Structure formats: C-alpha cells, structure tokens
C-alpha cells in the first residue's frame, strides 16, 4: 500500500513556505529580478512595462532608480510614474546621482523599481552595494523590482570573464540572487541585440564600437545566452521541487526527465548501466544509480562483491549520481527514492520469479511494474546470464543461503524439533488439549526462526506439522489424517510458521542495518569529539588511525608533510609505508588531491589505498589504508564513511595548524607591540632624562667659572635625580625581561617586612620628599616568606606609583597583618583612585592610569612587574579604591608553614648561643 502522507522534511518545507492562511509566513517584501544575458536585451524596458501595467491596476508603484542609458523608449515609459528624488553625492569633483534609500523607506510604497542590482554605491552611502539597499527595502516589507545580467552573478563571474575576456567587478551574491521570489528571463536573439547595438539603441556610438570589439562579439553572446538560460532552468527546477516537497506531494511531476538505474552484483549490471546512460543521453536526462543493500550483503562471495564495487565505479565514471540505500523491502525503497528525486523512468535488468516449490510471489521486475504508477519501467535483458547467487539487479542478496548452510545449523534445527516433540509428549501425558500441544510445536518453530535462517524455519514449520501428525493424531506413527479437521490445524500451523519465519528474517535484517548505521554514526561522532579535544599532529593522527583501523578492520597510516617530505607521522612499523614506491604514490595523491592506489583506476599496483586529507586550505596529508580485500571499502556507503573520517581528520589538522599559526601571530604581534612600545619609551622616557643630564652637565662643563655654588648644586641634584630615574627605568625593563622569559629563580626565606620596607623607602628618599609615610604592622615584627630582592622591587614600584598618582604633601599608608600562613600588606595613597575600567587592566604591561596629576613619565611596566613577581610567589595582588579616596594595593604572600615567632627568630638564636658561651652578643 502506497503511503501518500508527506514526510517530516516536506512538512517543514511547507511550514517555511506558507503560513496558516497560505500567505508568506514572515512579513517580507518580494523581489522580482528581470534577468538577461547582456546589456540591451530589454530588462529595464520590460520592468517599466510591468510597472505601468501594475499602476493601471491600482497598485502603488514608485520609481526609486532607473538608468535609461539615453534610450528614448525607456524614458517614455518612466513618464507617469512617481519618481523619488535622487541623492546627490560629490566624489572626486564630480556629482553622482544615487538611489535615495532614506526617501524610499519614508515613502513606503507597495512596489519600488530599483534598476541595476549589482551597482556599487558611491562613497559615504549607507551600504556599499545596491543589493544591500534592496535587502533593507525587502525587510521593510516593500516589494522590489530590479534588473541583473548573467555576468553579475557571483558564481558565474569567472566563467563570463573566461568567455568574454572582460572581468566584471560588480557582482551579486548567489544567495541574494537565489532568494528572489520571481525570476523573469528577458531574451532576444544575439543577432537582434547586435543590430540594436549598431543602431545606437544600447550605447552611444563611441561606446558601441568598443563594445562590439570586446564584449559584444557574436560567439560571446551565444555562450552568455546559454549560461543565462541554464541558470533560469535551474531556478525553475528548484521551484518545482520546492512546490512538490513543500506541499507534501509524492507523485512524480514529469517536468523533466530523470532516470533511475538499479545496480547489483549481477554480471549483466554493466550492460544495464551503459544502456541506461545511452538512454539518458538521448533524453538529455539526469542519471541516478541506486544500490539497495541488506543483511545478505555480508554473504556475497568475493567475486560478487568485486563485481558490485566495479559496477558502482562504472556508474560514477558514466556521470551518474550513486545512491546506496538500506532496506528489506527492495521495491518500496527504490520507488520511494524515485519519487523523492522526481524520477520519470526506472531502468532495471530483467529478473525472473523464484523457481521451485517455495516461490515467494512475483519477481521484483513485476512488482516494480505493478507499483510504479506514473513512472515508466524499462526492462533490459543483459548479455551475460544472471549469476545464480543473485536474484536480480536491484538487490545485494545471495540465494546461496538456502541449501548450502552449515550442517551444524541443520543439526540445531533438528534438535529444537526434538525438544519441542518431547515437550508435546509431556503435555499429552499430563492430559493437555491438542491446542496446547500445537503451541509446543509453534514454540519450536519460533525458536528456529530466531536462531537460524529462513530456510531452517521453513523446514521446521513443515517438520512440526509432520511430527504432530505422526505422534499426536490418529492413526499414530503414520502420515495419514483420520479426521478432516486436522487439515485446518496443519494449515494454520504451516501458515503461522511461515509468517513467523518472514517476520524474524525481516527483523534480523532491520536489526543488522540499524546496528551498522548506529555503529558507524557512533564511531564518527566519537572520532569527531575526540579530535576536537586533542591538540598536536601526532595525537590527532594516532586517534584517527586507531578509530579507522577498528571500524574497517584495516591497517591505517597517516602521512603528513614534514620538512618538505611526506612521511608517516607516528613512524609505526608498516612495510608498505617504508617502501619508496609507496611513498611516491602518497606524494602523488597529496599533490593531485585525488584518491589513488590499490582498488582504484590510478596506480592500482600499489600495496595500499591512499586518500587525500582535504580541508578548505587544501591537502593536509594522506591517509593510507592497507586491507586484504579493498572491495568493501569502495561500496558507496563505506566510501562515504571513510571519506567522512578523512574529512574529520583533515579539519582537525587544519584547526591545529591554524591554532599554531594563531599563537605565532599573537606572539609576533606582542613582540611587535613590545618593540614599538620600547622604541616609544626610548624616544621619550629614556631620551628625556638623558637630555636633562646632558644639558646640566654641559652647563657645568662650559660655564663652571660663571656659576655660583648654589646653581652648581642644583644642577648636580638634577643630574643625580634624572640618573636615578633613568636607572629605575632601565632596571624595570631588565626586570620585566627576566620575569617574562622565566629566567628568574625565586628563593624564598623568612624576612622581616619592616626591613624590606626600610630598604625600599631608603632608595626612594628623594622621590618621597616630605611625604608622610605611615607604617602600621601587626605584629610589629611581621615576617614574609619571599624573595627579598623581588619583593623589595614590588614595594619600590608601588611606592613610586603612589607618589606619581597622588598630590604632593599627602600621606602614604602601609598596613600589614598576619592571618595564619598568609602575610597581607596594603599600600594606600590619597590620590584620585583608579577607575573600574583601569582596575581590570592596570596590571597589564604598558598600561598607565589616566588620573595622573603630577609626574606622567614611565612606560607602564611598574605594576606589571609587581603582578609578575606576585605570580612567581604564588601570591596575589589586587587594587581597589578606599572609601575616603585614593587607591589601595593589597598584597598576599602565602607560606607553607606558620612564620617563626620573635623568640625563634635567627637573632634570638644568636643571642642564646652567645650567652651560653659566656661571650657578649
């Protein structure tokens, strides 16, 4: 029974196409493109004619932009239509007239005419391209009529350039062109177009002469015309398919010819394929080759499997689209595919109905003819007799599964029947009715059908009937029926046995197909998931080799380019991978990006099959596969899975390469930024103190006798101050270089915080000046487990930062406390504080605060060095604003043990030892 209900995909297409009332689901304007193969065919003229007709019918039609090209006929058609004012744009001394998008959106007409869809707008326009203006109009719900030539379609641009020798710069994206609601082809003969061109109806005479010499040659026009007509034909075909599937129509619409040829392992399939190709050529039709497989595919002989693979390759060489389906109802699968692809004719090799006592109905050919409906069936008798192991050309099915089964399976069938007979004897001895005894035999038939094949269950059904007749019906122990009513019992037993047999066989085949698809899908998913989370070529190649080898039971080797040579990335022991001739095949595949090797038509003498690992950037490497029998790998379904694995690996390798390049690019950018910043600091922060020192020293050198003592002292102080500033700047640069390179070794010891602060304050005595530095440590002998040199540098940078970003004369507060193993220090100033934006990036290198009110010199490394030092100590540094104003920098140093007490300090130990010796400390 044919199911005419729409598929879920068809329902979705319909919902996307229509709303509940049959109108467009989303409110969007409609785009109609008047399409031609060259300028002058009459696109604008036809668009204006359509506009005049619509206006006469009462529609609100407005001219947004029309390019008449000086044609009087075109200008006459514009008359009577409302025209929007054009936008005047001054560009390079010339005044350009452009489409006024704002005026169109304000006017909100029902239909607007916008000529030349591919036009590039003048600078300072809202959009770069006119098709972008049209997109905004469509989003606003305005219908748009526009024009376009074939050379402006993006995907055809290079083809047109090759034909005409003229490169067209203005193009329309294919998705924009494809979303047009209506495509109207405007076509005239090339001879008529040339005549119009010579008459000056297309371009002015000077332009017409140049056009005739280049673009408008007659042979060019013929080629462009064919391109345009083909594009329109493709669009019409797509519209037909959308209409068919969108409305859930499963019937064939014979708007064009499509042939479906059924392929199997039969020797006659090659002849059937070639005959179908000749028929497709005669009808100018597309050719689709279908192969339907089921569980019996695994039982094909090696010769039959090789023939199947060769037939599928032949279909590909003939230009057919190859499709592999899985299903137990072969005719239904073939017809379902035919209706999905709008096939008008099916070509099949002639097959006969099964012979013998156990005929299973009509042949597949008969069923196709009976169920095909409006689809024509072409039956071709092959020149080679059909192989006895193949029932027809549609299926991959071996009939040899009948009598040639293993003897142990027949013994198992006999054993189950014996057990069923024994169970029936027990039921009969217990006085059970004959109906219950029959159930025992049916149970045996079901067990045989579930465990073994169709022929075993069929024999078990007949054997059960005979056993019941011999042992449980009168007269006993003879195949004679005394009561005619037993005939009905026998018939029912036989029918039930056959039905159970058929259902079990179908269930087994469906289970096999489901398990195979699930296994392949799960394996592909797992590989993709693992490759996504792995970095490094070796790890990616190892995971891919393992997955492919396990799934296909082959030996897989990944070869990647290394130092200009293609070689196995993991250097595994594989004899074929080390063979120079095999490596030459791999290099050929890598260079030509084409499969080659064993089982293919290229370099077939190789030991392995080689697949290129293709990514959008090109070939990333080669996947080599060595198997005893490569035939199963070239069944379309298996080949598609294998190519999917190769694509997954190629994309993972491309991702890994891009990640490395991104890191290198980031590193290069950072280095360039560092270089630029250092150069800037040299040009300003280093040169400024050097200039001051040079000036002061020069004054003292050349005017020493003329300078009084006070002036000399001031100059010496200036030299000293700037030298100190320069020394700290260079020290910061060197310190940052050491920290960023990781060459600084942190040596932690217990040090009194008061001593570290005292040393830092001493070095900043001149910078601090008269500032009041308030120190509050709890306990007073606060200890820090740190590298004294590095932490002292942190104190210096923080104190210098407080001086720079707070007014002169304000106090700087230093607080410290001990919380378990943590030593916490805070340095606060009374400046303007730090904004929230700066708090997030103030510890980055070359970042400076924006609230500097005094000295703004510096390269922005001080706080970055503090952060690096604290990270090296596994500590933490943060910044916040105090409630009373000013910035507060908080340091946290963590130790592995509690700090020593005052009594356990090294100084106290020294005192105790001295007193014990009787000496003075």
């Amino acid at each position: 029974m044919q199911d005419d209900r729409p598929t879920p995909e068809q329902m979705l297409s319909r919902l996307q196409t229509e709303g509940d009332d049959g109108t467009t689901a989303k409110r969007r304007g409609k785009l109609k493109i008047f399409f031609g193969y060259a300028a002058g065919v009459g696109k604008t003229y036809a668009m204006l004619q359509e506009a005049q007709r619509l206006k006469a019918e009462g529609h609100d039609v407005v001219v947004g932009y029309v390019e008449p090209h000086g044609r009087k006929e075109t200008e006459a058609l514009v008359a009577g239509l409302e025209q929007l004012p054009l936008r005047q744009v001054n560009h390079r001394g010339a005044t350009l007239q452009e489409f006024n998008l704002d005026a169109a959106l304000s006017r909100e007409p029902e239909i607007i005419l916008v000529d030349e869809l591919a036009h590039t707008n003048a600078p300072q326009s809202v959009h770069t391209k006119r098709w972008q203006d049209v997109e905004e109009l469509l989003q606003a719900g305005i219908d748009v009529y526009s024009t376009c030539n074939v050379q402006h379609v993006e995907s055809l641009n290079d083809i047109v350039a090759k034909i005409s020798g003229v490169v067209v710069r203005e193009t329309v994206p294919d998705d924009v062109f494809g979303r047009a609601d209506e495509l109207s082809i405007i076509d005239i003969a090339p001879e008529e177009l040339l005549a119009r061109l010579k008459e000056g109806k297309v371009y002015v005479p000077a332009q017409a002469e140049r056009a005739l010499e280049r673009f408008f040659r007659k042979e060019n026009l013929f080629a462009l015309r064919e391109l345009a007509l083909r594009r329109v034909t493709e669009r019409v075909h797509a519209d037909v398919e959308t209409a068919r599937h969108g409305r859930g129509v499963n019937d064939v619409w014979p708007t064009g010819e499509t042939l479906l040829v059924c392929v199997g392992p039969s020797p006659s399939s090659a002849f059937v394929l070639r005959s179908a190709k000749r028929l497709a050529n005669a009808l100018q039709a597309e050719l689709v080759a279908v192969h339907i497989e089921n569980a019996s595919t695994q039982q094909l002989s090696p010769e039959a499997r090789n023939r199947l693979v060769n037939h599928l390759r032949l279909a590909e060489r003939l230009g057919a689209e190859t499709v592999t389906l899985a299903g137990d109802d072969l005719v239904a699968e073939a017809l379902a595919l035919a209706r999905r692809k709008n096939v008008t004719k099916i070509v099949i090799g002639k097959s006969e109905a099964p012979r013998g006592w156990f005929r299973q109905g009509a042949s597949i050919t008969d069923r196709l003819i009976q169920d095909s409906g409006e689809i024509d069936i072409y039956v071709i008798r092959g020149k080679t007799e059909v192989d006895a192991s193949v029932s027809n050309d549609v299926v991959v099915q071996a009939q040899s599964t009948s009598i040639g089964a293993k003897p142990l399976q027949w013994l198992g069938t006999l054993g189950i029947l014996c057990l069923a007979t024994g169970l029936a004897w027990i039921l009969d001895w217990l006085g059970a009715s004959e109906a219950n005894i029959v159930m025992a035999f049916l149970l045996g038939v079901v067990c045989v059908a579930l465990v073994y094949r169709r022929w075993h269950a069929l024999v078990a059904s007949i054997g059960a009937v005979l056993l019941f007749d011999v042992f449980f019906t009168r007269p006993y122990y003879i195949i004679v029926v005394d009561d005619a009513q037993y005939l009905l019992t026998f018939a029912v037993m036989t029918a039930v046995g056959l039905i159970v047999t058929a259902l079990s066989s179908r269930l087994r085949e469906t289970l096999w197909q489901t398990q195979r698809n699930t296994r392949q899908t799960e394996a592909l998913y797992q590989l993709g998931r693992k490759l996504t989370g792995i970095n490094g070529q070796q790890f990616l190649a190892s995971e891919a080799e393992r997955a492919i080898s396990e799934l296909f039971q082959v030996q897989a080797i990944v070869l990647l380019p290394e130092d200009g040579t293609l070689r196995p990335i993991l250097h595994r022991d594989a004899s074929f991978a080390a063979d120079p001739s095999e490596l030459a095949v791999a290099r050929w595949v890598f260079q030509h990006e084409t499969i080659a090797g064993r089982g293919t038509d290229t370099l077939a003498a190789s030991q392995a099959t080689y697949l290129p690992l293709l990514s959008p950037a090109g070939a990333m490497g080669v996947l080599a596969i060595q198997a005893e029998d490569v035939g199963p790998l070239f069944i379309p379904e298996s080949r598609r899975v294998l190519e999917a694995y190769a694509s997954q690996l190629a994309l993972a390798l491309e991702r890994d390469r891009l990640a490395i390049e991104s890191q290198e690019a980031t590193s290069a950018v950072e280095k360039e930024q560092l270089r630029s910043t250092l150069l800037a600091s040299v040009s300003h922060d280093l040169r400024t103190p050097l200039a001051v020192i040079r000036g002061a020293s020069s004054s003292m050198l050349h005017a020493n006798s003329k300078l009084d003592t006070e002036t000399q002292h001031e100059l010496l102080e200036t030299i000293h101050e700037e030298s100190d500033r320069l020394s700290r700047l260079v020290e910061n640069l060197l310190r940052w270089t050491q920290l960023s390179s990781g060459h600084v070794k942190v040596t932690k010891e217990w040090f009194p915080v008061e001593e570290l602060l005292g040393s830092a304050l001493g070095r900043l005595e001149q910078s601090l000046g008269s500032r009041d530095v308030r120190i509050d440590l709890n306990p007073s002998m606060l200890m820090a487990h740190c590298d004294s040199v590095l932490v002292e540098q942190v104190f210096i940078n923080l104190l210098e930062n407080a001086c720079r970003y707070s007014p002169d004369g304000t106090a700087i507060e230093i607080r410290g406390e001990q919380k378990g193993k943590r030593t916490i220090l805070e340095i606060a100033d009374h400046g303007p504080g730090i904004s929230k934006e700066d708090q997030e990036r103030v510890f980055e290198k070359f970042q400076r605060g924006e609230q500097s009110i005094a000295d703004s010199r510096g390269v922005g490394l001080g706080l970055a060095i503090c952060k690096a030092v604290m990270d090296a100590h596994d500590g933490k540094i943060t910044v916040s604003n105090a409630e009373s104003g000013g910035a507060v920098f908080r340091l946290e140093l963590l130790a592995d043990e509690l700090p020593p007490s005052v009594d356990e300090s090294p100084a106290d130990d020294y005192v105790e030892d001295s007193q014990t010796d009787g000496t003075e400390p």
Side-chain angles (χ1 to χ4, degrees):
M1 180 178 178
Q2 181 178 341
D3 189 359
D4 292 331
R5 293 176 299 176
T7 64
E9 291 79 7
Q10 293 170 345
M11 293 291 294
L12 179 61
S13 177
R14 181 174 181 177
L15 289 174
Q16 292 174 342
T17 305
E18 296 183 355
D20 297 336
D21 56 354
T23 59
T24 303
K26 185 179 180 180
R27 184 65 187 94
R28 174 185 168 88
K30 294 183 178 180
L31 173 62
K32 180 174 182 179
I33 298 178
F34 293 83
F35 188 58
Y37 66 89
V41 296
K43 303 181 298 299
T44 305
Y45 189 86
M47 180 178 66
L48 290 171
Q49 281 185 321
E50 180 74 6
Q52 291 287 0
R53 182 185 65 81
L54 292 172
K55 182 185 178 183
E57 294 177 357
H59 293 277
D60 181 19
V61 183
V62 171
V63 175
Y65 182 89
V66 167
E67 183 60 62
H69 292 289
R71 304 165 192 162
K72 296 182 180 180
E73 299 87 347
T74 303
E75 294 176 351
L77 284 174
V78 177
L81 295 174
E82 179 185 350
Q83 299 185 52
L84 294 178
L86 299 178
R87 189 167 57 89
Q88 307 294 326
V89 179
N90 293 323
H91 180 61
R92 296 181 180 178
T95 301
L96 305 178
Q97 293 185 337
E98 292 288 348
F99 169 61
N100 196 331
L101 177 61
D102 295 333
L105 294 173
S106 300
R107 172 64 174 76
E108 292 186 356
E110 179 185 355
I111 302 171
I112 187 170
L113 311 184
V114 183
D115 205 3
E116 296 184 351
L117 186 63
H119 174 74
T120 300
N121 293 330
Q124 301 178 354
S125 300
V126 177
H127 298 124
T128 305
K129 297 289 186 177
R130 184 166 292 168
W131 60 262
Q132 295 173 316
D133 296 338
V134 170
E135 280 291 309
E136 187 167 347
L137 293 172
L138 296 174
Q139 292 292 339
I142 302 173
D143 295 344
V144 180
Y145 284 12
S146 188
T147 62
C148 184
N149 287 330
V150 67
Q151 66 265 28
H152 297 302
V153 179
E154 181 65 46
S155 61
L156 303 177
N157 183 260
D158 56 342
I159 300 177
V160 173
K162 185 176 181 180
I163 293 173
S164 63
V166 177
V167 179
V168 180
R169 303 297 181 186
E170 297 179 329
T171 59
V172 176
D174 281 60
D175 59 338
V176 175
F177 187 83
R179 288 199 303 267
D181 299 273
E182 186 176 350
L183 195 63
S184 179
I185 182 70
I186 309 300
D187 182 60
I188 62 175
E191 294 83 0
E192 183 180 350
L193 177 58
L194 291 174
R196 295 187 60 191
L197 187 66
K198 294 177 181 178
E199 293 172 0
K201 295 182 179 181
V202 179
Y203 295 126
V204 296
Q207 291 179 331
E209 291 180 3
R210 291 195 299 270
L212 286 170
E213 294 175 357
R214 301 186 63 190
F215 192 84
F216 281 81
R217 292 197 298 268
K218 190 173 183 179
E219 58 273 17
N220 290 350
L221 297 180
F222 278 119
L224 295 176
R225 188 186 190 193
E226 181 181 1
L227 279 177
L229 292 176
R230 283 185 179 275
R231 188 57 187 255
V232 173
T233 301
E234 293 173 1
R235 170 58 186 266
V236 172
H237 178 72
D239 290 341
V240 170
E241 290 300 304
T242 300
R244 240 174 34 96
H245 296 302
R247 301 207 174 257
V249 177
N250 288 323
D251 295 335
V252 174
W253 290 3
T255 56
E257 296 290 351
T258 303
L259 269 66
L260 182 92
V261 57
C262 302
V263 181
S266 169
S268 65
S269 284
F271 181 79
V272 174
L273 272 169
R274 293 187 177 94
S275 300
K277 178 60 177 176
R278 290 193 293 270
L279 180 60
N281 290 341
L283 298 175
Q284 296 184 349
E286 297 180 5
L287 182 62
V288 179
V290 60
H291 159 64
I292 304 175
E293 63 176 11
N294 53 24
S296 301
T297 303
Q298 304 300 316
Q299 302 170 8
L300 283 176
S301 63
E303 293 80 9
R305 185 182 298 278
N306 290 334
R307 281 198 303 271
L308 173 61
V309 173
N310 291 332
H311 294 159
L312 293 171
R313 291 184 191 166
L314 175 61
E316 293 179 347
R317 291 197 301 270
L318 293 174
E321 176 189 355
T322 58
V323 179
T324 300
L325 300 176
D328 52 347
D329 193 341
L330 311 172
V331 173
E333 293 292 341
L335 290 176
L337 176 66
R339 290 189 171 91
R340 286 199 304 270
K341 290 189 170 292
N342 202 27
V343 170
T344 56
K345 294 175 175 56
I346 296 178
V347 180
I348 185 174
K350 184 177 181 181
S351 62
E352 298 178 357
R355 298 178 180 179
W357 291 357
F358 308 110
R359 297 183 62 176
Q360 300 178 12
S363 68
I364 290 180
T365 303
D366 295 334
R367 288 189 59 198
L368 278 174
I369 295 174
Q370 180 181 356
D371 300 339
S372 60
E374 67 279 11
I375 303 176
D376 298 332
I377 306 296
Y378 287 75
V379 182
I380 296 177
R381 178 69 173 181
K383 290 186 178 181
T384 306
E385 292 297 327
V386 179
D387 192 348
S389 66
V390 183
S391 62
N392 52 72
D393 287 323
V394 180
V395 302
V396 177
Q397 183 173 357
Q399 294 287 356
S400 60
T401 60
S402 57
I403 307 300
K406 296 180 179 180
L408 290 178
Q409 296 179 353
W410 291 110
L411 291 176
T413 302
L414 179 61
I416 293 176
L417 288 178
C418 292
L419 291 176
T421 304
L423 178 61
W425 275 108
I426 294 174
L427 294 175
D428 184 60
W429 179 74
L430 294 175
S433 64
E434 292 181 346
N436 293 325
I437 296 174
V438 169
M439 291 298 103
F441 284 105
L442 288 179
L443 177 62
V445 173
V446 171
C447 292
V448 172
L450 292 176
V451 176
Y452 301 119
R453 298 290 179 180
R454 179 179 302 173
W455 281 98
H456 301 84
L458 183 62
V459 172
S461 300
I462 298 173
V465 172
L466 295 177
L467 290 172
F468 178 73
D469 176 46
V470 170
F471 293 106
F472 299 99
T473 62
R474 291 188 179 89
Y476 297 112
Y477 312 115
I478 187 172
I479 306 178
V480 175
V481 179
D482 186 27
D483 193 343
Q485 66 179 352
Y486 285 115
L487 295 176
L488 179 60
T489 303
F490 297 159
V492 172
M493 287 181 63
T494 304
V496 171
L498 294 176
I499 291 173
V500 170
T501 298
L503 292 177
S504 299
S505 177
R506 179 174 298 181
L507 178 62
R508 185 181 293 107
E509 293 178 356
T510 304
L511 178 62
W512 172 84
Q513 295 162 5
T514 303
Q515 289 176 341
R516 184 203 62 181
N517 295 335
T518 302
R519 185 170 60 253
Q520 291 179 349
T521 303
E522 177 66 18
L524 187 60
Y525 165 75
Q526 291 295 339
L527 177 64
R529 184 177 63 85
K530 291 181 179 179
L531 292 181
T532 302
I534 295 176
N535 294 321
Q537 289 185 341
Q538 291 188 348
F539 299 103
L540 292 171
S542 176
E543 184 61 36
E545 288 179 3
R546 184 198 60 78
I548 296 173
S549 299
E550 291 180 358
L551 181 63
F552 294 96
Q553 298 301 309
V554 297
Q555 185 177 14
I557 299 292
V558 176
L559 299 96
L560 299 179
E562 182 179 338
D563 298 329
T565 304
L566 201 67
R567 62 184 63 182
I569 188 64
L570 297 179
H571 307 288
R572 288 183 173 172
D573 295 333
S575 58
F576 75 91
D579 191 338
S581 60
E582 295 297 315
L583 292 177
V585 177
R587 284 194 297 269
W588 188 93
V589 171
F590 181 76
Q591 294 171 359
H592 293 81
E593 300 182 358
T594 304
I595 184 174
R598 185 182 175 191
T600 68
D601 296 330
T602 306
L603 303 171
S606 303
Q607 301 179 40
T609 306
Y610 297 88
L611 287 82
L613 301 176
L614 298 178
S615 72
M620 301 299 300
V622 173
L623 174 63
I625 296 176
Q626 188 181 46
E628 295 181 1
D629 182 14
V630 296
L633 297 178
F634 288 93
I635 296 175
E637 183 68 22
S638 299
R639 180 171 174 176
R640 278 193 287 269
V641 174
L642 186 59
E643 289 176 347
Y645 271 64
S647 298
Q648 287 271 16
L649 177 57
L651 292 175
L653 291 171
E654 173 71 6
R655 173 186 57 80
D656 186 70
R657 183 182 66 83
L658 291 176
I660 294 175
E661 291 181 356
S662 177
Q663 291 177 356
E664 293 176 350
T666 302
S667 177
V669 170
E670 291 178 353
K671 290 180 180 178
E672 180 62 24
Q673 183 181 6
L674 176 61
R675 187 184 68 86
S676 301
T677 308
L678 287 176
L679 288 176
S681 67
V682 168
S683 64
H684 181 268
D685 295 291
L686 292 179
R687 189 166 54 184
T688 299
L690 287 174
V692 174
I693 293 172
R694 181 178 180 181
S697 61
S698 177
S699 299
M700 293 186 64
L701 180 64
H702 297 289
N704 187 27
S705 59
K706 300 179 182 180
L707 297 177
D708 54 28
T709 303
E710 183 178 357
T711 303
Q712 292 180 10
H713 183 73
E714 290 179 357
L715 291 175
L716 289 174
E717 285 185 345
T718 301
I719 293 174
H720 179 74
E721 182 180 350
E722 294 300 327
S723 299
D724 191 50
R725 187 188 306 277
L726 183 60
S727 176
R728 289 197 302 271
L729 181 60
V730 173
E731 185 178 357
N732 276 338
L733 290 173
L734 294 177
R735 183 71 67 186
W736 171 253
T737 303
Q738 292 174 347
L739 290 170
S740 60
S741 63
H743 293 161
V744 175
K745 183 179 180 180
V746 178
T747 303
K748 295 183 180 181
E749 295 181 5
W750 288 104
F751 287 95
V753 174
E754 188 174 6
E755 292 184 7
L756 297 176
L757 289 174
S759 177
L761 292 172
R763 294 182 59 182
L764 293 175
E765 183 178 357
Q766 292 187 354
S767 299
L768 292 171
S770 61
R771 287 179 182 268
D772 182 17
V773 179
R774 304 170 185 173
I775 301 176
D776 180 13
L777 301 180
N778 184 22
S780 59
M781 196 61 178
L782 182 64
M783 305 293 289
H785 195 247
C786 62
D787 188 312
S788 61
V789 177
L790 295 178
V791 173
E792 181 182 335
Q793 185 66 47
V794 171
F795 291 157
I796 293 173
N797 290 349
L798 292 178
L799 290 171
E800 189 176 23
N801 185 80
C803 292
R804 181 179 294 120
Y805 289 93
S806 62
D808 292 335
T810 58
I812 297 176
E813 299 176 3
I814 303 176
R815 299 181 289 270
E817 61 179 335
Q818 189 73 43
K819 290 187 176 181
K821 298 179 181 181
R822 292 186 302 157
T823 303
I824 301 175
L825 296 166
E826 291 183 351
I827 299 179
D829 59 47
H830 292 275
I834 300 178
S835 64
K836 292 184 178 180
E837 294 78 8
D838 284 343
Q839 289 179 15
E840 298 177 357
R841 59 185 182 89
V842 72
F843 294 107
E844 298 176 5
K845 56 182 179 295
F846 307 120
Q847 296 293 333
R848 302 175 59 194
E850 300 178 355
Q851 285 84 14
S852 177
I853 59 177
D855 189 359
S856 62
R857 288 177 291 181
V859 295
L861 283 178
L863 295 181
I865 291 175
C866 295
K867 179 69 164 56
V869 170
M870 296 304 295
D871 290 341
H873 282 78
D874 297 326
K876 185 190 302 183
I877 180 172
T878 58
V879 62
S880 61
N881 290 325
E883 295 181 359
S884 59
V888 179
F889 287 88
R890 180 184 175 93
L891 307 176
E892 291 189 20
L893 291 169
L894 181 64
D896 297 331
E897 58 185 9
L898 293 174
S901 63
V902 176
D903 295 336
E904 297 173 351
S905 65
D908 292 339
D909 292 341
Y910 174 72
V911 171
E912 292 176 0
D913 292 342
S914 301
Q915 292 174 349
T916 302
D917 296 339
T919 59
E920 293 295 330

